[in-house]
Amino acid sequence: MIRPAMLAVALAAGPPCLAQAAEAFVTDQDGDSVTVIDLATRKTVATIPVDGKPAGIAMTRDGARAFVTSPSAQIVSVIDTAARRVTGHFAAPGGPLGIAVHPSGNPLYVADWYSNQVEVIDSVTGRMIAHVTVGQSPSGLAVTADGKFLVVADRLSNAVSLVDTSTLKELARVPVGAHPFGLALNPAGDRAYTADVESNTVSVVDLGARRPAGTVKVGKRPYVVALDGGRGFVTNELASTVTVFDLATLAKVATVPVGDYPEGMEASPDGNFIYVANWDTNTLSVIDARTLAVIATLDAGSSPRAFGTFLR
Amino acid sequence: MTINRRALMAALACLASAPAFAHGPTRQKLELSVEVNATPDKIWAVIGNFHDLSWVPAVAKVEGPGGNDPDTAKRTVTLKSGGAWHDEELSDYDAQKFTYGTFLPHVDVKILPVADFSSHISVSAEPGGKSLVQWRSAFYRGYPNNNPPPDLNEEAAKKAVTAICQPALDALKARFEAGH
């Protein structure tokens, strides 16, 4: 059943043809592969070899292409999702981990977490278009739904950078908790949420006012944030849980036990399920967004990370 | 091998500004286990105390506050080889499930060539009154940036952790099965 609030999010988040997430593309860092899981049957349907210990992933809005970062090999691999194969590699310097794709499908934004740069790369040709200077060790990043702003978690600067995607200049830097890693934006694009690894918090940033807008105490070593309707979800690596909180009040709603070392996480576009990649347990947990119970645990390759947008 | 000059400069800049907080690109996973001819409660009585590593041959002593309370427990572990690490945390503890987890935010790579070291020790029942003791660890290599030297790469990290954990599991088995 789709509740009105969820429907609003689904419509805002993507085109109507994506009424339900059909597949997960899970990066398996130790398996040197991407595991494709059919989310209706909950079975693995393909394993795509991807070199260089793949970690980050960005899915185009239409779900046709996925871009995967391999920090060990300093490449971005392009995946044709329907054909289930790698169609090309782009060079990406330093330690490419966080990645996002513009809502139009071009360009790519690739964070070099050894530096203070986000690389802007043409998603068709692989040409390096520009470098955006942000804070130190950029990690998670996301682009607002209107495509106007890139938002970056600067891990070593304990800040979020707001970047204008037309001028590629940093407009503002807003302080958050200690070592922000994963980052999520609300559908309206006026709130950013960071998972602050070292302070065990989620920080809320008001992107319009460009200032901090709240803090949520969560579990140990929070890593990735996902939003679904009126709720926020964060994976807690050392607690093997997902903390659920209310986006309006920032009050804690529930703590959901999942696998060990939960990392990448994303809500299905219809808002019904939250998918969590458990790095240590090699599984994908399926959380019912209404009951907040884990309703299925699926095999997910070797050391799954799925850091980014991995559903289509 | 070619070295990307810009990346190298960036890495050096990062190293200079915050060496303690960076780590390598790929977290390593090490899973060691041993089957022991004893029930879980008997094994847990030996290994289930965060401040007692007398069952680990490489360890000389353990000190620290907090008992087995994850909110307050910390330990300093001194090795027989002379080095020590400090402020290792108890990330979770469940005596009913015979499991506890640890997290070590910072360690001198000369003592243990790893970064962000965490581990889980657990005991589970096996048929016939036996147990499976598992020691699962997660960590990054000791060298934070690209192109690690051989003594600080992933293999060196795994080797160093194995050198502490495997003899402990072997000794645990011998302790319960001596004379059998």
Side-chain angles (χ1 to χ4, degrees):
Chain A
M1 192 182 92
I2 297 175
R3 285 169 291 152
M6 298 282 187
L7 187 63
V9 170
L11 291 172
C17 61
L18 287 182
Q20 189 175 346
E23 291 174 339
F25 282 66
V26 179
T27 54
D28 294 315
Q29 196 154 30
D30 283 345
D32 279 327
S33 61
V34 167
T35 296
V36 185
I37 301 171
D38 182 313
L39 296 176
T41 64
R42 296 183 176 146
K43 301 285 186 206
T44 295
V45 292
T47 302
I48 305 169
V50 176
D51 292 336
K53 309 287 180 194
I57 182 163
M59 186 72 71
T60 56
R61 195 183 259 198
D62 64 6
R65 288 176 298 159
F67 301 91
V68 174
T69 55
S70 292
S72 296
Q74 296 164 288
I75 55 169
V76 173
S77 298
V78 185
I79 293 177
D80 179 328
T81 53
R84 312 205 188 292
R85 64 185 184 88
V86 173
T87 58
H89 299 287
F90 302 156
L97 180 57
I99 184 167
V101 59
H102 191 276
S104 68
N106 202 3
L108 296 173
Y109 304 94
V110 183
D112 171 8
W113 88 321
Y114 285 133
S115 77
N116 60 346
Q117 302 275 309
V118 173
E119 312 296 335
V120 185
I121 298 174
D122 187 297
S123 72
V124 178
T125 66
R127 188 175 67 86
M128 204 100 62
I129 298 167
H131 318 289
V132 184
T133 301
V134 293
Q136 283 296 334
S137 197
S139 300
L141 33 76
V143 184
T144 53
D146 62 10
K148 289 180 178 169
F149 301 101
L150 169 70
V151 188
V152 184
D154 304 326
R155 196 174 59 103
L156 292 183
S157 296
N158 302 329
V160 157
S161 291
L162 178 66
V163 175
D164 184 324
T165 55
S166 57
T167 64
L168 296 178
K169 296 290 183 217
E170 184 178 11
L171 299 172
R173 193 175 298 180
V174 182
V176 295
H179 290 199
F181 190 77
L183 176 142
L185 302 177
N186 67 344
D190 59 6
R191 286 281 188 285
Y193 299 83
T194 58
D196 311 323
V197 173
E198 298 227 331
S199 54
N200 298 331
T201 53
V202 166
S203 293
V204 187
V205 173
D206 182 332
L207 294 174
R210 301 176 184 179
R211 58 174 173 75
T215 300
V216 187
K217 280 301 280 183
V218 297
K220 289 191 175 175
R221 298 296 273 192
Y223 207 67
V224 165
V225 187
L227 308 181
D228 186 13
R231 285 171 173 170
F233 297 74
V234 58
T235 47
N236 304 306
E237 278 190 332
L238 288 183
S240 305
T241 58
V242 168
T243 299
V244 187
F245 60 97
D246 186 288
L247 294 181
T249 65
L250 301 186
K252 207 180 289 185
V253 174
T255 302
V256 184
V258 292
D260 290 336
Y261 262 92
E263 295 208 350
M265 175 171 58
E266 193 179 2
S268 59
D270 65 10
N272 289 343
F273 302 105
I274 315 296
Y275 295 94
V276 183
N278 303 301
W279 175 82
D280 199 13
T281 322
N282 298 334
T283 53
L284 190 73
S285 297
V286 185
I287 298 174
D288 183 315
R290 187 174 52 84
T291 65
L292 301 180
V294 173
I295 56 165
T297 303
L298 319 179
D299 290 334
S302 180
S303 301
R305 301 203 59 187
F307 182 55
T309 53
F310 60 97
L311 303 180
R312 74 167 196 140
Chain B
M1 177 183 283
T2 59
I3 294 175
N4 182 320
R5 190 168 177 276
R6 205 180 66 81
L8 185 66
M9 295 304 287
L12 289 173
C14 184
L15 193 66
S17 62
F21 301 117
H23 57 66
T26 308
R27 193 189 301 120
Q28 303 298 300
K29 190 186 282 189
L30 183 68
E31 302 182 353
L32 302 173
S33 63
V34 66
E35 192 186 65
V36 178
N37 191 7
T39 52
D41 58 319
K42 289 196 168 62
I43 297 169
W44 186 250
V46 173
I47 71 171
N49 186 342
F50 180 63
H51 290 109
D52 181 358
L53 291 177
S54 58
W55 60 282
V56 180
V59 172
K61 63 173 176 177
V62 181
E63 301 159 291
N68 290 319
D69 176 6
D71 290 332
T72 56
K74 289 197 175 181
R75 70 185 181 190
T76 290
V77 176
T78 306
L79 301 176
K80 285 178 182 160
S81 60
W85 62 76
H86 308 278
D87 293 328
E88 187 170 21
E89 301 166 10
L90 182 63
S91 55
D92 57 86
Y93 188 91
D94 191 333
Q96 266 69 52
K97 290 181 178 171
F98 305 119
T99 183
Y100 77 82
T102 68
F103 177 60
L104 181 61
H106 307 295
V107 59
D108 184 340
V109 294
K110 293 191 198 75
I111 309 299
L112 194 64
V114 301
D116 278 21
F117 179 86
S118 64
S119 78
H120 270 94
I121 293 172
S122 62
V123 189
S124 54
E126 296 274 290
K130 297 182 177 180
S131 298
L132 183 69
V133 182
Q134 290 180 290
W135 198 342
R136 296 179 299 124
S137 304
F139 48 87
Y140 292 88
R141 69 187 182 212
Y143 192 74
N145 300 306
N146 285 330
N147 306 313
D151 59 336
L152 292 176
N153 65 14
E154 275 84 4
E155 289 70 29
K158 280 194 171 180
K159 196 176 160 194
V161 176
T162 303
I164 291 176
C165 299
Q166 189 63 54
L169 295 176
D170 294 344
L172 197 62
K173 185 177 179 67
R175 175 187 189 127
F176 282 98
E177 298 182 5
H180 282 244

